[in-house]
Amino acid sequence: SKFNKKYNLMCKIFDIFFLKRYIKLNTNFIVKSELAKEFLVNKGISENNITVAGVGIDTQVLTTEEECSLNIFNEMVQQKESLKILYVGKIEPRRDSIFLIDVLKKIIDNGVKAHLYIIGSGEKEYVNSVHEHAKNIDVSKYITWQEKCEQKYLSNIYKQADIFLLPTKYEIFGMVLLEAMYYGCVVATTTNGGSSTLIKDGKNGIIIDEENPRIWAEKILKVMKNYNVKNDISINAHNTIKNNYLWDLLIEKFIHRYNEVKRKNKSTLE
């Protein structure tokens, strides 16, 4: 990815010194995502030696709730009729924050009352450009910004949102996907590290790879206007995380895979 130049250089150096050794030793890997697995397979690592485990979240953090008095939360509670769109994360080109504003514009142009809630900060120059873009296309009044929010309040905010948008160009995994899905948000995002592992398009989330805000708006509204579809996605999203991606569950997966490799190596030596 062009957003990871230093890592790209590190990989080239790493491959020169270590890749052939890993292949020769038949080394096993546990990786975060399906895209990480694909990355290693393309380098010559055997697919049978790679286990996709995903990333977990801490139930203690998730169940920590405190009464929230933040303005952004109070606005969400009071907003009864609008489609509540949420974004949590850094405001930066990698996350395509300007595109996020364009999607909001297209949703509103479809005659839908909608409001975008943004929690995050970024480089001043880019953040200003996002504000300016929102002003130029006349949607500033439909956006509420909050630079920071303590983790203990996020659960309240996720629960108020109808849909969580992450139009990212590059994501190693994306903890916000785990959080949003756990709290039952309908998630719309691109194909990235997290979504390639967590989301089945149309079942527990929405994956959209077209860089066209009109297409995003149409796909989002198609789901949002069908209560049964929206409800099923919400329930499936929560269950996906609850049943597969809590750290307590993943620890068992790591140990199981480690013991499998250990037994296999012992059998080979014998």
Side-chain angles (χ1 to χ4, degrees):
S1 170
K2 66 180 181 180
F3 296 103
N4 229 349
K5 291 179 180 178
K6 288 183 180 179
Y7 183 76
N8 295 340
L9 177 60
M10 185 183 78
C11 282
K12 289 179 181 178
I13 296 170
F14 192 91
D15 289 353
I16 291 170
F17 290 102
F18 299 106
L19 181 57
K20 288 182 180 178
R21 179 172 173 81
Y22 278 146
I23 295 172
K24 182 180 178 181
L25 293 176
N26 210 29
T27 304
N28 284 266
F29 293 82
I30 294 178
V31 297
K32 288 181 177 181
S33 70
E34 291 293 339
L35 288 186
K37 178 179 179 178
E38 182 182 315
F39 179 77
L40 291 180
V41 169
N42 288 336
K43 288 180 178 292
I45 303 296
S46 171
E47 187 173 352
N48 295 328
N49 289 356
I50 306 170
T51 300
V52 179
V55 173
I57 44 181
D58 187 347
T59 52
Q60 288 185 329
V61 173
L62 291 174
T63 53
T64 299
E65 285 190 28
E66 288 193 22
E67 187 175 345
C68 186
S69 59
L70 296 174
N71 290 336
I72 192 169
F73 172 72
N74 292 330
E75 280 191 33
M76 293 177 85
V77 171
Q78 292 166 13
Q79 192 65 262
K80 303 293 184 183
E81 298 178 3
S82 289
L83 176 67
K84 289 180 269 193
I85 305 166
L86 178 64
Y87 170 82
V88 178
K90 198 164 183 182
I91 312 299
E92 58 181 344
R94 175 172 69 89
R95 294 284 183 86
D96 216 348
S97 304
I98 287 177
F99 184 82
L100 185 68
I101 305 300
D102 288 335
V103 174
L104 171 66
K105 171 67 174 171
K106 291 299 180 184
I107 289 173
I108 292 170
D109 286 347
N110 271 273
V112 174
K113 190 175 180 182
H115 200 94
L116 173 61
Y117 300 89
I118 298 177
I119 298 175
S121 60
E123 296 293 332
K124 185 176 180 180
E125 184 177 349
Y126 184 73
V127 172
N128 287 342
S129 73
V130 177
H131 278 282
E132 190 64 27
H133 183 64
K135 182 179 178 182
N136 290 338
I137 63 174
D138 198 27
V139 295
S140 294
K141 61 186 175 182
Y142 304 111
I143 304 173
T144 299
W145 304 75
Q146 174 105 19
E147 281 197 4
K148 295 178 182 179
C149 176
E150 291 183 66
Q151 182 72 38
K152 62 186 178 181
Y153 297 133
L154 274 176
S155 62
N156 296 281
I157 291 169
Y158 279 123
K159 287 175 182 178
Q160 286 296 320
D162 295 306
I163 187 160
F164 181 89
L165 299 191
L166 185 66
T168 182
K169 293 179 179 293
Y170 170 76
E171 202 75 35
I172 293 175
F173 199 87
M175 291 300 294
V176 287
L177 293 177
L178 286 163
E179 293 174 354
M181 291 175 70
Y182 182 84
Y183 287 113
C185 288
V186 174
V187 169
T189 187
T190 55
T191 297
N192 55 69
S195 69
S196 70
T197 306
L198 300 172
I199 296 177
K200 290 184 174 146
D201 186 31
K203 301 295 184 184
N204 62 354
I206 311 167
I207 295 179
I208 314 170
D209 286 322
E210 292 89 350
E211 293 185 31
N212 184 326
R214 177 185 59 79
I215 293 174
W216 275 67
E218 288 174 356
K219 290 190 176 183
I220 288 167
L221 292 177
K222 185 178 179 181
V223 171
M224 290 294 107
K225 289 178 179 179
N226 188 321
Y227 174 81
N228 290 333
V229 172
K230 176 189 171 185
N231 193 52
D232 285 348
I233 289 176
S234 173
I235 292 169
N236 291 339
H238 171 73
N239 288 337
T240 295
I241 308 305
K242 179 185 174 184
N243 297 333
N244 301 284
Y245 295 101
L246 303 182
W247 277 125
D248 290 348
L249 300 171
L250 288 183
I251 287 169
E252 295 300 322
K253 192 171 184 177
F254 293 154
I255 293 171
H256 177 72
R257 181 56 181 157
Y258 174 79
N259 286 331
E260 276 187 338
V261 173
K262 192 175 176 182
R263 283 192 297 270
K264 186 176 74 173
N265 289 344
K266 184 179 178 181
S267 176
T268 302
L269 289 174
E270 290 175 348

